[in-house]
Amino acid sequence: MGAAAATEGTSDVTQYEAAARAPAAPAPIAAVHVPAADLPGARAMFATLGERAAAQAVALRPPPAEPTTCCGRGCNGCVWEGFYAAAEWWRQDALEALQAAAPAVAPPG
């Protein structure tokens, strides 16, 4: 059995399902400044912003729930697309809340 035969059955896995199965990686600081492109990135972004909010005593709404109903067929309008759109909205909302709570820095003068 060749390498092609060994991977034949894996073509049904969508990029979203593959991302959902990947382990979560630690979030680099820049991860909160760009939209999440995969589930580990979204989880890292939620964790990083949650930690920042806790450190600044800022209350954030809960991040969106991860989809559980993906059929894996690559549908137009997949539940993962909605999740990433909601995650981006949550990210922007969280960054605004953190910025509003940050102490004002007086300009040098």
Side-chain angles (χ1 to χ4, degrees):
M1 203 181 247
T7 59
E8 271 181 34
T10 61
S11 62
D12 293 341
V13 175
T14 67
Q15 67 181 3
Y16 302 116
E17 287 179 311
R21 294 177 185 158
I29 297 301
V32 299
H33 297 293
V34 295
D38 56 20
L39 186 57
R43 287 175 177 162
M45 182 253 308
F46 296 149
T48 300
L49 288 173
E51 290 168 6
R52 289 184 185 182
Q56 294 180 20
V58 173
L60 299 178
R61 63 185 176 82
E66 295 174 14
T68 59
T69 59
C70 181
C71 65
R73 293 182 290 195
C75 301
N76 185 16
C78 177
V79 295
W80 286 102
E81 292 173 13
F83 169 75
Y84 290 121
E88 173 57 12
W89 189 83
W90 185 91
R91 182 186 71 85
Q92 291 177 8
D93 189 52
L95 288 173
E96 288 176 10
L98 290 168
Q99 184 177 13
V105 177

